[in-house]
Amino acid sequence: MELLCFSSDSLRLLDPNSLNSCKSLSSLKQTHAVLLKSPEPKPLIPNLIAAYGRFGDLGSAISAFGHYPDDPNAFLFNSLIQSHNLNSLFLTSIHLYIKMLGSNIQPNQYTFPLLFKACSLSSELSGGAQIHGQVVKLGYVRNPFVAVAVMDMYMKSGQSFDAEKVFDGMGEKDGVAWNAMVTGLVQSGRAEEALEVFERMRREGVGVGCVAVASVVAACSQLRVLHQGKWIHAFVVRSGFSADTVISTALLDMYANCGDLGLANQIFGEMHTKDLIAWNCLVSCYAQYGSVENAFKLFIDMQNSKLKPNGSSLSGILPAVARFGSLHHTKSCHCFILRNGLESDEFVITALMDTYAKSGDLSTAHNLFDGMPKKSVVAWSAIISGYGTHGCCNEALSLFDKMLETNIKPNHVTYVGLLSACVHSGFVDKGREYFKRMIYEHGITPQAQHFTCMVDLLSRAGLFDEAMDLINVMPIEPPAEIWGALLGGCKIHQNVELGDTSHPNSCEIYHKIEELLDDIGKLGYVPQIKAVLQNVEEDMKENALKGHSEKLAMAYGLLRTKPGMPIRIMKNLRSCEDCHAFMKYVSKITLREIVVRDTVRFHHIKDGTCRCGDYW
């Protein structure tokens, strides 16, 4: 209906729908003009303010607010607060609430969700806590509508335990509250608790929404619990959620993370609607597990399906290209980036730069770095790591100094690159210096990767006592990579006494290895002693094979992970024939997928077969 054609008799027909149906700002202003002639404009002014907010015309919204015929009420303030939220003026929303209180207007249940949203999106955590106190004081704490908004604010602010207190303090919990709790726990990294809450929901017969289902699938993905993920998948099918694109994409991601490429591909094939997120997820899945050719084929199929790849698409495929060092594929990606105008995307160019460096073309990587108008810590860290990988330690350290001169603060990734550079060039003193600077100058707590670099550096230099001292003072349990680094150093320096029993769980680990050897021996495994190069007796050679880092890591992984979970092992030396055979037999008896990365390539082993076809 054209509002300009209204007669005076038709003014009484104005209602909120006429404001909500306006397709443009000009038509809204025409409706506003008609409204001003109405004998009773007052009830529609909150809707008018909200409509102006949707079109981003806050000046007109504030003007309409000021022309309210009587004293303003909570509904009027709510509309103005909502309009500012829609335009990302969250601090102004909070100031409007303060003005509201100063005018002695009491907020209602619709005020508080708007305010908690403003607090979470503006990171005004202290303000959110104060408003929560007012919610308690005014008696709205048991109102499900308000309580869910409080929970959401705390979850998005990283205060999941405070959100849990609000949830536990609610009287009757509706489905919205339960669903919000599951989703919030997953987003806060508390995946195990999210699965427990979901199980409680199921037992109590609470209705589960699409968002919560997608969240529990994401929880299984985070934890990489394939058996639990399959159970949730069965629940999805039984409950009729299979057609939901978000849930299907979450299932695809879960199977990919758990290493089941077959089921991930099956889910993708069964999806009725495949959005860009689903395509990107499967591309990343293939790329992550080393199937670069399939990832590229899928990347081409994506474009043929009329979907335009974005920065996330490139971010998924470039790391795989980097991992395999294919310069041809790197250049193909570079051409695609240029053709599609993605050269201004900092994350894409940083990933491309890293890929060129890992594909052997350090010169092009540096040219890309120089061409970046704004260099973040991510870009600096990538180029430092690139030079370190190429054995150019002095250049890497020089770049680090230039980075500090530009007032860019290094992060833990920067220091992984620096320490790796020292490892590749044998700069022991420099490595010690930067390890201390990381802690005392930049306040970065060393993580497993930093300790691994240092142990690798010291072991390669034959400083085994110092390496062991560092392992012993680690605040975290040493991962398998550290023992691999130590054993690698022992191999270089022919130190056969150390690395074999220094792990605090060495007895348990070696017992597990003996158990595995006994089981796979019954299937036909025979130790390949030709892999031992030392001139010693055959029984000593067999004993030496037991101490190879992959076997130690394999045993440790089986002891510390849940049944059915994939085992991923990274090492800095090439796998020997015996360890490769060992892994194949172990995959068969444990029903586990095993992924081993050595200096040459990835080995994907499942059901006793390796994707490499025993040729590497």
Side-chain angles (χ1 to χ4, degrees), residues 70-121:
D70 298 321
D71 292 334
N73 57 27
F75 288 101
L76 201 69
F77 268 99
N78 290 350
S79 295
L80 195 58
I81 290 170
Q82 182 185 25
S83 294
H84 283 80
N85 274 1
L86 286 172
N87 291 276
S88 301
L89 297 171
F90 305 115
L91 291 177
T92 306
S93 295
I94 297 169
H95 292 150
L96 283 169
Y97 174 65
I98 295 170
K99 181 180 178 181
M100 179 181 179
L101 296 179
S103 303
N104 293 318
I105 298 171
Q106 183 168 309
N108 59 26
Q109 64 172 334
Y110 303 106
T111 311
F112 293 111
L114 297 171
L115 294 171
F116 289 125
K117 180 179 181 180
C119 290
S120 62
L121 293 174

Side-chain angles (χ1 to χ4, degrees), residues 217-396:
V217 174
C220 295
S221 180
Q222 286 180 20
L223 297 169
R224 295 183 176 178
V225 283
L226 185 59
H227 62 289
Q228 185 92 358
K230 287 182 176 179
W231 184 90
I232 300 293
H233 187 183
F235 172 83
V236 165
V237 174
R238 290 196 308 270
S239 306
F241 288 114
S242 300
D244 186 273
T245 303
V246 174
I247 292 175
S248 295
T249 304
L251 284 168
L252 194 163
D253 179 71
M254 182 271 294
Y255 283 122
N257 258 356
C258 293
D260 197 323
L261 284 174
L263 281 174
N265 200 47
Q266 180 182 323
I267 292 290
F268 183 79
E270 293 172 353
M271 290 177 70
H272 300 295
T273 304
K274 300 176 178 69
D275 59 11
L276 193 58
I277 297 173
W279 281 94
N280 288 346
C281 185
L282 193 60
V283 168
S284 297
C285 170
Y286 276 119
Q288 179 184 353
Y289 288 96
S291 188
V292 182
E293 294 299 333
N294 283 330
F296 262 92
K297 181 180 180 301
L298 198 66
F299 189 71
I300 294 168
D301 291 343
M302 184 198 312
Q303 297 169 68
N304 293 335
S305 70
K306 309 302 181 184
L307 283 173
K308 184 178 180 180
N310 58 9
S312 297
S313 311
L314 270 298
S315 298
I317 202 167
L318 281 170
V321 179
R323 192 178 302 127
F324 285 90
S326 171
L327 188 57
H328 169 70
H329 284 113
T330 304
K331 289 180 177 180
S332 296
C333 288
H334 194 175
C335 291
F336 178 88
I337 290 167
L338 295 175
R339 286 197 307 271
N340 289 273
L342 294 170
E343 64 270 21
S344 60
D345 188 317
E346 179 192 348
F347 294 102
V348 170
I349 294 301
T350 300
L352 180 64
M353 179 181 71
D354 181 61
T355 306
Y356 266 115
K358 290 176 178 173
S359 300
D361 192 344
L362 190 58
S363 176
T364 302
H366 201 122
N367 288 339
L368 287 169
F369 178 75
D370 286 340
M372 296 177 72
K374 185 180 179 182
K375 300 175 178 66
S376 68
V377 65
V378 179
W380 280 100
S381 300
I383 195 66
I384 288 169
S385 177
Y387 270 94
T389 303
H390 282 260
C392 306
C393 189
N394 286 322
E395 290 85 349

Side-chain angles (χ1 to χ4, degrees), residues 407-454:
N407 295 319
I408 299 291
K409 185 179 180 182
N411 60 19
H412 71 282
V413 178
T414 317
Y415 272 103
V416 170
L418 274 176
L419 294 174
S420 295
C422 294
V423 169
H424 291 305
S425 298
F427 285 17
V428 177
D429 291 336
K430 282 290 184 182
R432 291 192 189 109
E433 175 193 336
Y434 283 110
F435 190 72
K436 290 177 182 176
R437 285 182 66 180
M438 176 181 71
I439 300 169
Y440 300 110
E441 185 177 328
H442 292 112
I444 298 171
T445 302
Q447 299 179 12
Q449 288 175 295
H450 304 113
F451 282 109
T452 301
C453 286
M454 286 304 297

Side-chain angles (χ1 to χ4, degrees), residues 398-503:
S398 177
L399 282 165
F400 180 69
D401 292 336
K402 289 179 182 177
M403 173 184 166
L404 297 181
E405 289 170 7
T406 60
N407 295 319
I408 299 291
K409 185 179 180 182
N411 60 19
H412 71 282
V413 178
T414 317
Y415 272 103
V416 170
L418 274 176
L419 294 174
S420 295
C422 294
V423 169
H424 291 305
S425 298
F427 285 17
V428 177
D429 291 336
K430 282 290 184 182
R432 291 192 189 109
E433 175 193 336
Y434 283 110
F435 190 72
K436 290 177 182 176
R437 285 182 66 180
M438 176 181 71
I439 300 169
Y440 300 110
E441 185 177 328
H442 292 112
I444 298 171
T445 302
Q447 299 179 12
Q449 288 175 295
H450 304 113
F451 282 109
T452 301
C453 286
M454 286 304 297
V455 170
D456 196 8
L457 177 66
L458 296 169
S459 300
R460 285 170 182 260
L463 301 171
F464 298 112
D465 289 341
E466 188 176 347
M468 283 305 306
D469 288 342
L470 187 61
I471 292 172
N472 291 331
V473 298
M474 284 178 62
I476 56 174
E477 187 172 356
E481 290 84 359
I482 282 194
W483 301 109
L486 186 68
L487 287 168
C490 291
K491 185 174 182 180
I492 292 170
H493 292 276
Q494 300 292 302
N495 187 334
V496 296
E497 289 79 22
L498 185 65
D500 291 340
T501 58
S502 56
H503 193 282

